[in-house]
Amino acid sequence: GLRVYSPKGELLQTLPLAIKPGAVCVAKDGAIFVAGDGKVLKLDATGKLLASAVSPVANEPVVITSEMEEMIKQSGRPIKEETENMKVNLERRRAEVTGLAVTEQDVFMAVGAPSDFSYRVYRFDHGLANPKLVVEKLRGCCGQMDIQTHAGKLWIPHNARHSVESRDRDGVQLTKFGKAG
């Protein structure tokens, strides 16, 4: 479920969910967006389900690319066993949602890519329709890829590249800052 707390840290209510939540955000109008188990839900303040959608990668087939095969070969581990382990991990990742953010116009969802260990960001409308891939090949850290929004822009802490990126709603990079060290 989704727990609602007061500013003083008192539990006010628990909203039951049909999914195990992995990410949550709240729109200015009070709509609650929560994602997990390969789905995203839109709830009102009482927990009533207003809309739902399946993650765009939840049903994509897992494909071991030549890049991934090369990575397996370089590991020095048994190729067949390592390939099977990689497939299992990629299949599991398809249901995970690591980031969720909302603007007045859009809902953004960060998910693992089905064919490598990078991340993608998809954009939905507030009715959770019209998913569109807006950013791909992001490198997170420790199984996490967070996203935030501010002033209509998407902000991505691109951990593995030691930078923070600002992008427009279509994923076009506007600014970038940060460096290793």
Side-chain angles (χ1 to χ4, degrees), residues 5-125:
Y5 290 89
S6 74
K8 293 181 179 182
E10 299 162 336
L11 179 63
L12 299 176
Q13 70 183 100
T14 300
L15 305 175
L17 295 173
I19 62 170
K20 180 181 175 186
V24 64
C25 65
V26 179
K28 285 185 179 184
D29 67 2
I32 302 166
F33 294 92
V34 61
D37 293 339
K39 297 179 184 171
V40 59
L41 311 175
K42 179 181 182 180
L43 312 171
D44 69 10
T46 68
K48 178 183 174 190
L49 181 65
L50 302 175
S52 68
V54 174
S55 165
V57 298
N59 297 314
E60 274 193 43
V62 169
V63 177
I64 302 297
T65 63
S66 57
E67 178 186 330
M68 297 298 279
E69 287 175 351
E70 186 59 34
M71 200 166 87
I72 292 168
K73 287 177 187 174
Q74 290 179 3
S75 75
R77 297 183 184 126
I79 293 173
K80 185 177 180 182
E81 181 182 323
E82 201 60 27
T83 300
E84 285 305 311
N85 286 340
M86 193 169 282
K87 281 183 183 179
V88 167
N89 285 332
L90 289 169
E91 286 171 0
R92 178 188 45 77
R93 285 180 87 233
R94 290 182 305 171
E96 294 175 355
V97 178
T98 65
L100 202 57
V102 63
T103 65
E104 290 183 16
Q105 184 177 4
D106 303 305
V107 178
F108 295 95
M109 172 191 278
V111 295
S115 297
D116 60 29
F117 289 99
S118 69
Y119 292 89
R120 297 177 176 177
V121 177
Y122 287 87
R123 182 187 77 212
F124 295 81
D125 60 33

